[in-house]
Amino acid sequence: MSQSERDVLTPAGASAGASFDIHGLVGIDVEPGTPGEAQLRDMLAPFLRGSRAPLRLHISGAVSPIAEQSHAEDAYRFTGDSLYLPADRVQIIETRDGYRIQGQGELLTAVIPLLDRLCVREDAAMIHAAVVDFRGSGVLLPAWGGVGKTSTVAKLVATPGVRFMADDWAFTGADGMLMGYAKPMFIKPHHRAIYPDLFHGTRKPLAPGWLTNPVARLATAVHPVIVRYPKTAAFTRRWSPEHRMVQPDQVFGSERISSAAPARLAIFLERFDGSEARLEARSREWMTSRIIGNFHSELPMVSRRLVEALGATGLVPLEDHFGQKAAVVRRALEDVPCSLLRIPAAWSADRTSDYVANVVRTKLDE
């Protein structure tokens, strides 16, 4: 049994709160007693430290009473600087230095889109991608879920001089600097051939490969309800038969983890109904559009609902939310070669990751 799996069985003491520093861009302060603190500690573990960042997210459990709120049917209540979503039991209040996020559920689904929003104010942005530091060159591999990001980083990091930065979420600065996010990796049954050491010893059971997709669909369906109840969500997250949570430094070693590298290559990965892989050059504008759309579509439903509510109530107009972020990403990709790599849907994770890693090595050697 892994440490992360044992932790859920360990009785927790009184919450002490937590602070996180997101690459010096945004500070996150979690008040003692916040029900969602355990998940935030899990998912933001690489950033667990004090922060002097000027923009901040303040997170707590108690919802504040606010007078004279407007009503958008039953979906949300709002003022010029606050928003409450009854279905998700989360309240957002705009502050002088960022936002206050309050609620009794697991609040990561509110933190991610608002963290992204504050990063944009600091000329940076969150992205949904695998990222590696290839001997000082940052390689950006945005992709849909299930394409093979986690598998590909294993093959790339096996290359001498290559270091892990992210396998799912990461950050980019408008100056072209890629910044890592070594959050827990979610290892699934199809990763057995790629990460064989992670399947040795006594560990929680995983669903057989043929059940992976039905289990994933069930998890997606119940997620909006589960996140309202932190203890249930914590148990489900750690004991789901869909995956195992493993820290990247336990997989690759701390010396193979990199925090930042300048972008030198961007390849969007996607599966398609073809028999042969296809690599096609794309423009910076095309890549910017795909990165923005991919990030938003890969957010949990609760997060997307929050973005919609912020836009509908005018707290963060949608044209600002997407337009300002697109401007950051577009600048980040200046002078970065951009491509689309279409991979046959029938290819295994092992074959896909071998092919992608070879394309990356070839491109950087050109």
Side-chain angles (χ1 to χ4, degrees), residues 210-355:
W210 61 272
L211 265 181
T212 298
N213 288 336
V215 170
R217 287 194 291 271
L218 176 62
T220 299
V222 303
H223 182 261
V225 176
I226 289 293
V227 295
R228 302 177 193 172
Y229 309 99
K231 290 184 179 179
T232 302
F235 182 88
T236 302
R237 185 170 63 253
R238 295 190 188 277
W239 290 96
S240 167
E242 180 192 1
H243 59 246
R244 291 181 180 136
M245 289 174 57
V246 185
Q247 296 294 341
D249 60 357
Q250 296 174 342
V251 179
F252 304 112
S254 58
E255 72 282 357
R256 303 299 295 273
I257 308 294
S258 175
S259 62
R264 295 288 181 263
L265 183 66
I267 304 176
F268 195 100
L269 309 177
E270 68 181 24
R271 299 278 189 168
F272 83 122
D273 295 327
S275 58
E276 299 294 334
R278 298 178 187 172
L279 180 66
E280 306 165 358
R282 287 290 186 267
S283 68
R284 176 173 58 148
E285 289 71 22
W286 181 92
M287 183 64 77
T288 297
S289 178
R290 293 299 292 271
I291 286 175
I292 299 299
N294 174 253
F295 176 85
H296 184 73
S297 71
E298 291 289 343
L299 287 173
M301 183 188 304
V302 178
S303 303
R304 297 198 303 270
R305 191 156 57 216
L306 173 60
V307 171
E308 176 187 284
L310 290 168
T313 59
L315 269 74
V316 182
L318 291 180
E319 62 269 26
D320 292 345
H321 178 84
F322 292 110
Q324 292 170 4
K325 179 171 182 176
V328 169
V329 175
R330 190 177 300 111
R331 288 164 57 197
L333 293 173
E334 189 171 357
D335 299 325
V336 176
C338 297
S339 304
L340 166 66
L341 178 55
R342 305 180 76 197
I343 303 159
W347 283 15
S348 68
D350 199 19
R351 183 178 181 183
T352 295
S353 54
D354 279 338
Y355 190 90

Side-chain angles (χ1 to χ4, degrees), residues 182-228:
K183 72 170 187 58
M185 299 168 66
F186 291 87
I187 303 300
K188 301 181 179 181
H190 65 261
H191 290 132
R192 183 181 295 272
I194 299 163
Y195 296 97
D197 291 348
L198 300 182
F199 289 82
H200 294 161
T202 304
R203 297 175 181 269
K204 74 170 184 181
L206 288 179
W210 61 272
L211 265 181
T212 298
N213 288 336
V215 170
R217 287 194 291 271
L218 176 62
T220 299
V222 303
H223 182 261
V225 176
I226 289 293
V227 295
R228 302 177 193 172

Side-chain angles (χ1 to χ4, degrees), residues 4-331:
S4 62
E5 292 164 357
R6 287 195 295 270
D7 287 345
V8 76
L9 299 179
T10 305
S15 165
S19 293
F20 305 91
D21 179 69
I22 312 300
H23 290 293
L25 300 166
V26 179
I28 300 178
D29 303 304
V30 183
E31 291 187 5
T34 300
E37 180 185 335
Q39 187 198 30
L40 293 170
R41 282 182 174 273
D42 273 350
M43 301 306 292
L44 297 174
F47 307 116
L48 185 61
R49 64 183 72 90
S51 176
R52 296 183 179 179
L55 296 181
R56 311 192 77 83
L57 292 175
H58 306 273
I59 304 174
S60 61
V63 172
S64 301
I66 296 179
E68 300 184 353
Q69 297 178 101
S70 296
H71 290 228
E73 297 186 348
D74 296 326
Y76 23 86
R77 299 194 286 273
F78 63 98
T79 66
D81 60 3
S82 71
L83 170 69
Y84 178 62
L85 281 72
D88 302 321
R89 302 196 303 170
V90 63
Q91 182 181 60
I92 309 300
I93 300 175
E94 192 171 13
T95 63
R96 293 176 61 184
D97 60 355
Y99 298 97
R100 178 171 286 278
I101 302 172
Q102 302 175 152
Q104 291 294 306
E106 287 207 318
L107 299 176
L108 183 69
T109 51
V111 167
I112 293 299
L114 290 173
L115 170 59
D116 181 42
R117 178 63 190 163
L118 293 185
C119 284
V120 168
R121 288 170 55 178
E122 290 293 285
D123 276 340
M126 289 193 72
I127 51 180
H128 180 252
V131 183
V132 296
D133 178 342
F134 199 104
R135 302 167 185 162
S137 294
V139 177
L140 172 62
L141 301 171
W144 307 107
V147 169
K149 298 186 304 299
T150 299
S151 302
T152 297
V153 294
K155 302 297 178 66
L156 286 169
V157 175
T159 305
V162 178
R163 295 189 289 167
F164 174 95
M165 291 180 66
D167 78 320
D168 197 32
W169 303 98
F171 301 83
T172 184
D175 60 358
M177 186 62 69
L178 296 173
M179 293 166 278
Y181 183 1
K183 72 170 187 58
M185 299 168 66
F186 291 87
I187 303 300
K188 301 181 179 181
H190 65 261
H191 290 132
R192 183 181 295 272
I194 299 163
Y195 296 97
D197 291 348
L198 300 182
F199 289 82
H200 294 161
T202 304
R203 297 175 181 269
K204 74 170 184 181
L206 288 179
W210 61 272
L211 265 181
T212 298
N213 288 336
V215 170
R217 287 194 291 271
L218 176 62
T220 299
V222 303
H223 182 261
V225 176
I226 289 293
V227 295
R228 302 177 193 172
Y229 309 99
K231 290 184 179 179
T232 302
F235 182 88
T236 302
R237 185 170 63 253
R238 295 190 188 277
W239 290 96
S240 167
E242 180 192 1
H243 59 246
R244 291 181 180 136
M245 289 174 57
V246 185
Q247 296 294 341
D249 60 357
Q250 296 174 342
V251 179
F252 304 112
S254 58
E255 72 282 357
R256 303 299 295 273
I257 308 294
S258 175
S259 62
R264 295 288 181 263
L265 183 66
I267 304 176
F268 195 100
L269 309 177
E270 68 181 24
R271 299 278 189 168
F272 83 122
D273 295 327
S275 58
E276 299 294 334
R278 298 178 187 172
L279 180 66
E280 306 165 358
R282 287 290 186 267
S283 68
R284 176 173 58 148
E285 289 71 22
W286 181 92
M287 183 64 77
T288 297
S289 178
R290 293 299 292 271
I291 286 175
I292 299 299
N294 174 253
F295 176 85
H296 184 73
S297 71
E298 291 289 343
L299 287 173
M301 183 188 304
V302 178
S303 303
R304 297 198 303 270
R305 191 156 57 216
L306 173 60
V307 171
E308 176 187 284
L310 290 168
T313 59
L315 269 74
V316 182
L318 291 180
E319 62 269 26
D320 292 345
H321 178 84
F322 292 110
Q324 292 170 4
K325 179 171 182 176
V328 169
V329 175
R330 190 177 300 111
R331 288 164 57 197

